[in-house]
């Protein structure tokens, strides 16, 4: 009996030890700054945090090289599509899908029908998604055979891959059968083809994803991802320092960076450009902003070198409206000196005098209370005061501010926002006539450029349709120079997206540029 | 007693109705647009208009109010404007976390506050009394989020006794409940000490206590039969008020410990102007509050029969 007891104990210990090994799951804890899910149906995402989840579960047709936003057509990488053909006039894009890619949870194989369904679904205005505008130039989508799909565009578009096919902004392929079967539930428990599959959602707490054993690019090293909703920055920082989180988005302040460097010295601090583009939009309906000399005066009066000193590694230069790293951007070196608007308060005063306001003027402006908005605006306010322009600020909560600027109540409007990395995308979204606030097709043209004066719509349209890359660049350069002459907006800076990873996490690639989301398909824990 | 219960029930229903009607209209007076908040700043005007129509937000406000009331009659609180989840389900998932925190922190508060208060009163004017009074005064002046961060740093980060953030598998998961309950409980306890002390001293000075003492009743008997029982009335009032305050006031604690709950839920809903979630949340909370008030009234009536006549 004694022996039996001993054996029982040994056996029990062995079982515990074995089960301990079997249960040693590699779990990665990732912080999301939102309070909860909006929707993790790729067609209905509205926030970067929702996109982070989607990026782990779904695939696009093609992608830029990992960790970059390199949209050069020659560098495109296959994802669900293994090869593609583009007609000489850039109007017909044909994709051949990888055979045998499986949908998760037994929903069959990824087919051309699914691709057609995914895009047509987003183009339906009744769906309530916000990504539909990216797909407006699609005339038709045709299933050539079960693994071949063909997009025919209304007009030639050399940028179609960048605006509609690469990951982010809803451009993911979803399984038709699962979407139809699951209905609204698809937004909380999606089914994709990506490296991780949905396992559990705990409201306001976390989304749990588990490794997709059948992933066509190989099973990810991590067994589970716990994407945790932690809105409070302090709480997230403490948890990161304590090691309870492996990855977290950071507070975009130099103080926060210093705190992490000091208290978690092993952590990897990652900045990704372009991050948020920060502009001042001048509402050209509001005098005296309707006068180009006044807008130029403001451009000269704002010392844009200050931002680098104030934000350190959280700053990126923005001389023209399109960041230099974007496809089709005007390079700073190519901007003539008189259009660079280097800080010159004397020139600002001269221009104000020429505009008939030698003593300056006062103007009311609204601004969001959010840090990245308010800090910039207070700096601008102070600099403008030096040349006699008094900006009377009314600070509003973020939701009210956005509602008000959409109703055209802004004068000098500030925006801090991420956008698809091509010159036409930026220009069309902020400066095309159709995007002017107040129009049914309004996007974010708060200056009414193109509607009230100046327009680069034709130049951009020609560039997008132009098959010859050199001519395309010429047209885009001319458009960007014209914008610099008219100053409907004043670019301030880009604020890179910031994230931290524990020192023992290796993502498997180097994130250089992007919209702030990391892919965790190859992330692994490095043993120390 | 029946008439009393009936009258109080009517009062309760009327109060709840007034509260959520007020919330319905107040929400719509707030600046900001739920559709823009929901769609972000990248949506076209067309999409915004489509979504507004599909959510019924383009209807006249009185029609929306009528629909809201009709929904209430049918126990239907609608769907969140932001993620289309059922408001009732969302609330019911979060409410247990807040209730667990409320109950646990009240227990901590009573366990600390009542005995310390009685002790302080019994030793009135002595060193124990002074120390307790000063301690509770300083304690109640601490802001909740600050005390929360202190607790988090000490027991979570330095001692590593508890997981730092989250709510755990269930609302009553102790590993996740202890730190937030301790924070809130301490704060409640500080208030309770002073209140209990005052109540006990007040009763102790009454004629009937002196009479009892003069009649030669034992000290213990006087304390428990006469002083403590009568001192319970203000303490009970305070307790019910404190439970109500906790239900709505867990926001800071839920934020610091990243604990799911009604507070966090409502803060998020206000930020995104999620009208239906706020309305639904307030309906459920006000029903709870009114019920607690109602039960407190009944409890008084049991403890002190004079209340029934009032």
């Amino acid at each position: 009996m004694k022996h039996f007891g001993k054996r029982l104990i040994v056996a029990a210990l062995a079982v515990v030890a074995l089960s301990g090994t079997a249960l040693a799951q590699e779990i990665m804890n990732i912080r999301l700054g939102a309070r909860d899910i909006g929707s993790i149906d790729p067609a209905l995402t509205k926030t970067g945090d929702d996109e982070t989840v989607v990026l782990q579960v779904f695939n696009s047709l093609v992608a830029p090289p990992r960790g970059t936003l390199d949209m050069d057509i020659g560098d495109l990488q296959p994802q669900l599509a293994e090869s593609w053909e583009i007609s000489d006039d850039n109007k017909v894009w044909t994709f051949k899908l990888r055979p045998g890619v499986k949908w998760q949870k037994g929903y069959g194989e990824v087919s051309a029908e699914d691709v057609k369904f995914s895009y047509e679904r987003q183009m339906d205005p009744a769906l309530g998604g916000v990504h539909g505008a990216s797909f407006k130039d699609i005339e038709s989508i045709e299933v050539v055979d079960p693994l071949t799909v063909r997009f025919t565009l209304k007009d030639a578009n050399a940028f179609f891959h960048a605006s509609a096919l690469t990951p982010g902004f809803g451009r993911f392929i979803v399984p038709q059968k699962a979407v139809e079967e699951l209905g609204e539930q698809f937004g909380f428990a999606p089914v994709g083809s990506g490296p991780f599959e949905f396992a559990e959602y705990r409201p306001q707490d976390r989304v749990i994803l588990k490794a997709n054993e059948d992933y066509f690019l190989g099973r990810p090293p991590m067994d589970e991802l716990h994407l945790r909703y932690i809105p409070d920055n302090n709480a997230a920082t403490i948890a990161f320092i304590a090691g309870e989180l492996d990855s977290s988005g950071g507070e975009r302040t130099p103080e926060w960076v210093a705190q992490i460097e000091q208290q978690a010295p092993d952590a990897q601090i990652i900045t990704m450009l372009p991050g948020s583009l920060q502009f001042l939009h001048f509402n050209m309906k509001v005098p005296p902003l309707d006068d180009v000399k006044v807008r130029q005066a403001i451009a000269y009066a704002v010392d844009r070198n200050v931002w680098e000193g104030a934000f350190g590694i959280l700053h990126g230069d923005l001389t023209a409206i399109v960041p230099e790293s974007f496809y089709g951007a005007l390079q700073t070196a190519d901007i003539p000196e008189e259009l660079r608007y280097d800080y010159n308060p004397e020139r600002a005063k001269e221009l104000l005098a020429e505009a008939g306001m030698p003593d300056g003027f006062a103007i009311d402006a609204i601004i969001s209370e959010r840090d990245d908005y308010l800090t910039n605006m207070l700096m601008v306010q102070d600099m403008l005061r030096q040349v006699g322009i008094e900006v009377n600020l009314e600070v509003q909560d973020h939701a009210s501010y956005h509602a008000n600027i959409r109703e055209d109540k802004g004068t000098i409007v500030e925006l801090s926002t991420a956008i698809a990395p091509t010159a036409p995308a930026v220009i069309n979204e902020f400066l095309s006539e159709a995007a002017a606030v107040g129009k049914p097709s309004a996007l974010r043209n708060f200056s009414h450029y193109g509607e009230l004066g100046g327009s680069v719509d034709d130049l951009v349209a020609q560039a997008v349709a132009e098959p010859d890359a050199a001519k395309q660049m010429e047209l885009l350069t001319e458009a960007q120079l014209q914008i610099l002459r008219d100053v409907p907006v004043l670019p301030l800076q880009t604020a890179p997206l910031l994230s931290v990873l524990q020192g023992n996490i290796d993502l498997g690639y180097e994130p250089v540029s992007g919209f702030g989301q990391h892919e965790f398909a190859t992330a692994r824990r490095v043993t120390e | 007693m029946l008439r009393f219960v009936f009258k109080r029930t009517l009062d309760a229903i009327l109060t709840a109705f007034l509260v959520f009607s007020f919330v319905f209209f107040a929400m719509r007076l707030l600046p900001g647009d739920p559709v823009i908040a929901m769609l972000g700043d990248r949506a076209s005007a067309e999409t915004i208009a489509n979504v507004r129509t599909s959510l019924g937000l383009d209807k006249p406000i009185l029609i929306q109010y009528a629909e809201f009331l009709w929904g209430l009659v049918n126990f239907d609180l609608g769907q969140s404007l932001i993620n289309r989840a059922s408001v009732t389900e969302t609330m019911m998932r979060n409410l247990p976390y807040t209730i667990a925190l409320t109950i646990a922190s009240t227990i901590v508060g009573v366990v600390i506050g009542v005995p310390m208060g009685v002790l302080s009163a019994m030793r009135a004017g002595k060193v124990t009394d002074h120390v307790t009074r000063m301690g509770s005064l300083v304690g109640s002046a601490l802001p909740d989020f600050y005390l929360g961060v202190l607790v988090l740093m000490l027991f979570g980060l330095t001692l590593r006794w508890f997981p730092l953030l989250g709510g755990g598998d269930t609302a009553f998961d102790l590993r996740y409940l202890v730190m937030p309950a301790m924070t809130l409980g301490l704060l409640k306890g500080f208030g309770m000490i002073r209140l209990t002390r005052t109540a006990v001293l007040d009763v102790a000075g009454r004629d009937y206590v002196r009479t009892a003492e003069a009649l030669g009743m034992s000290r213990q008997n006087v304390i428990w039969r006469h002083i403590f029982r009568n001192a319970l009335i203000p303490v009970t009032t305070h307790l019910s008020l404190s439970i109500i305050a906790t239900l709505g006031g867990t926001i800071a604690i839920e934020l610091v410990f990243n604990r799911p709950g009604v507070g966090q839920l409502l803060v998020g809903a206000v930020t995104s102007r999620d009208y239906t979630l706020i309305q639904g949340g307030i309906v459920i909370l006000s029903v709870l509050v009114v019920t607690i008030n109602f039960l407190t009234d009944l409890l008084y009536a049991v403890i002190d029969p004079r209340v029934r006549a009032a």
Side-chain angles (χ1 to χ4, degrees), chain A residues 324-346:
Chain A
E324 269 192 309
S325 58
F326 280 24
Y327 192 38
L330 174 65
Q331 300 302 299
T332 309
D334 299 332
I335 302 176
E337 205 184 322
E338 74 274 14
L339 293 182
R340 288 190 187 175
Y341 300 101
D342 291 331
Y343 179 56
N344 188 345
E346 290 314 311

Side-chain angles (χ1 to χ4, degrees), chain B residues 25 27 34 44 51 56 97 102 166 189 198 224-225 265 297 299 309:
Chain B
F25 290 104
M27 269 315 295
S44 71
V51 173
Y97 285 91
T102 305
T198 315
W224 291 116
R225 279 190 57 189
L265 192 71
D297 282 354
L299 197 61

Side-chain angles (χ1 to χ4, degrees), chain A residues 262-289:
Chain A
Q262 197 193 346
Q263 296 182 16
D266 290 343
Q268 313 166 52
I269 299 181
I270 298 169
T271 55
M272 274 179 292
L273 280 167
S276 303
L277 312 192
Q278 298 181 340
F279 302 141
L280 291 184
H281 302 245
F282 302 120
N283 189 339
M284 290 156 64
K285 275 189 175 171
V286 178
L289 301 174

Side-chain angles (χ1 to χ4, degrees), chain A residues 195-222:
Chain A
F196 290 93
E197 63 178 57
F198 174 84
E200 191 188 343
Y201 161 53
R202 297 186 197 158
Q204 278 196 316
D205 184 37
R206 67 188 68 190
V207 172
I208 300 175
L209 304 178
K210 63 174 196 207
N212 176 2
E213 301 290 341
D214 296 327
Y215 186 46
F216 64 92
L217 294 175
R219 182 204 192 273
M222 287 289 170

Side-chain angles (χ1 to χ4, degrees), chain A residues 74-89:
Chain A
D75 292 339
L76 274 192
Q77 306 290 308
Q79 268 214 319
L80 288 177
E82 61 176 8
S83 61
W84 48 92
E85 269 173 38
I86 304 160
S87 66
D88 290 341
D89 62 357

Side-chain angles (χ1 to χ4, degrees), chain A residues 35 37-38 46 125 129-130 169 188 202-204 228-231 235 239 242 244 397 400 402 406 439-440 442 444, chain B residues 31 38-39 41-47 50 83 93-94 157 160 164-165 169 256 258 261 264-265 267-268 273:
Chain A
R35 271 203 172 76
I37 278 186
K46 273 117 197 170
V130 296
F169 305 108
F188 295 94
R202 297 186 197 158
Q204 278 196 316
R228 299 174 59 178
Y229 293 100
I230 306 175
E244 200 172 298
D397 73 285
S400 304
H402 267 281
R406 292 299 298 233
K439 299 208 164 222
R444 296 188 281 182
Chain B
M38 165 169 95
L39 296 179
D41 56 2
R42 294 180 43 236
S44 71
E46 232 166 354
T47 311
N50 277 335
N83 65 18
R93 258 187 320 230
N94 280 273
L157 193 61
R160 305 282 171 111
L164 289 171
L165 305 178
D169 297 334
V256 170
N258 206 55
Q264 272 225 57
L265 192 71
V267 171
R273 304 288 189 269

Side-chain angles (χ1 to χ4, degrees), chain A residues 81-306:
Chain A
E82 61 176 8
S83 61
W84 48 92
E85 269 173 38
I86 304 160
S87 66
D88 290 341
D89 62 357
N90 289 319
K91 263 184 109 165
V92 182
W93 297 56
T94 310
F95 293 87
K96 187 90 186 157
L97 301 183
R98 236 179 249 266
V101 176
K102 285 186 192 141
W103 289 117
Q104 300 156 357
K105 303 184 196 291
Y107 276 96
E109 290 189 2
V110 177
S111 71
E113 286 290 352
D114 291 319
V115 177
K116 181 177 155 76
F117 170 78
S118 302
Y119 279 90
E120 287 181 346
R121 175 170 182 251
Q122 300 219 41
M123 289 153 70
D124 175 5
L127 182 74
V130 296
H131 309 303
S134 311
F135 313 119
K136 267 189 175 161
D137 49 357
I138 298 175
E139 171 78 42
S140 65
I141 305 171
E142 181 192 344
V143 173
V144 181
D145 66 48
L147 288 177
T148 311
V149 63
R150 180 172 294 150
F151 294 84
T152 305
L153 308 185
K154 291 174 188 153
D155 297 299
N157 183 354
F159 293 85
F160 181 59
H161 61 292
S163 64
L165 304 173
T166 49
F169 305 108
R171 303 158 198 168
F172 296 93
I173 309 306
V174 297
Q176 177 169 9
K177 195 174 158 207
V179 171
E180 287 171 355
E181 262 180 36
L182 297 173
E184 281 190 354
Q185 200 45 38
F186 191 79
F188 295 94
V191 176
S193 56
F196 290 93
E197 63 178 57
F198 174 84
E200 191 188 343
Y201 161 53
R202 297 186 197 158
Q204 278 196 316
D205 184 37
R206 67 188 68 190
V207 172
I208 300 175
L209 304 178
K210 63 174 196 207
N212 176 2
E213 301 290 341
D214 296 327
Y215 186 46
F216 64 92
L217 294 175
R219 182 204 192 273
M222 287 289 170
D223 298 305
E224 285 185 6
L225 299 183
H226 287 213
L227 297 127
R228 299 174 59 178
Y229 293 100
I230 306 175
D232 185 64
N233 274 326
N234 286 327
T237 306
I238 293 172
F240 182 81
I241 291 169
E244 200 172 298
L245 293 173
D246 294 299
S247 162
S248 174
E251 201 180 310
R252 287 197 265 180
T253 62
E255 297 76 29
W256 189 83
V257 175
Q259 186 187 3
I260 292 293
E261 281 170 344
Q262 197 193 346
Q263 296 182 16
D266 290 343
Q268 313 166 52
I269 299 181
I270 298 169
T271 55
M272 274 179 292
L273 280 167
S276 303
L277 312 192
Q278 298 181 340
F279 302 141
L280 291 184
H281 302 245
F282 302 120
N283 189 339
M284 290 156 64
K285 275 189 175 171
V286 178
L289 301 174
D290 53 348
D291 186 337
V292 68
K293 288 195 168 147
V294 172
R295 302 197 296 271
Q296 288 170 337
I298 295 176
Y300 277 115
V302 175
D303 182 2
R304 289 181 284 168
N305 295 318
V306 166

Side-chain angles (χ1 to χ4, degrees), chain B residues 224-299:
Chain B
W224 291 116
R225 279 190 57 189
H226 293 282
I227 303 183
F228 193 67
R229 193 167 168 198
N230 285 299
L232 262 184
I233 293 179
V235 174
T236 312
T237 321
H238 177 77
L239 208 60
S240 99
L241 286 176
S242 138
I243 289 172
I244 290 166
T246 313
L247 274 175
T250 52
I251 298 166
I253 301 301
E254 285 175 1
L255 271 177
V256 170
F257 295 96
N258 206 55
R259 188 181 163 78
V262 175
Q264 272 225 57
L265 192 71
L266 289 184
V267 171
V270 171
T271 316
S272 55
R273 304 288 189 269
D274 192 341
Y275 293 165
T276 37
L277 187 53
I278 300 170
Q279 279 159 206
I282 300 288
V283 166
I284 291 175
L285 276 189
S286 49
V287 167
L288 254 179
V289 167
V290 165
T291 311
I292 293 172
N293 263 330
F294 175 69
L295 290 177
T296 314
D297 282 354
L298 286 192
L299 197 61

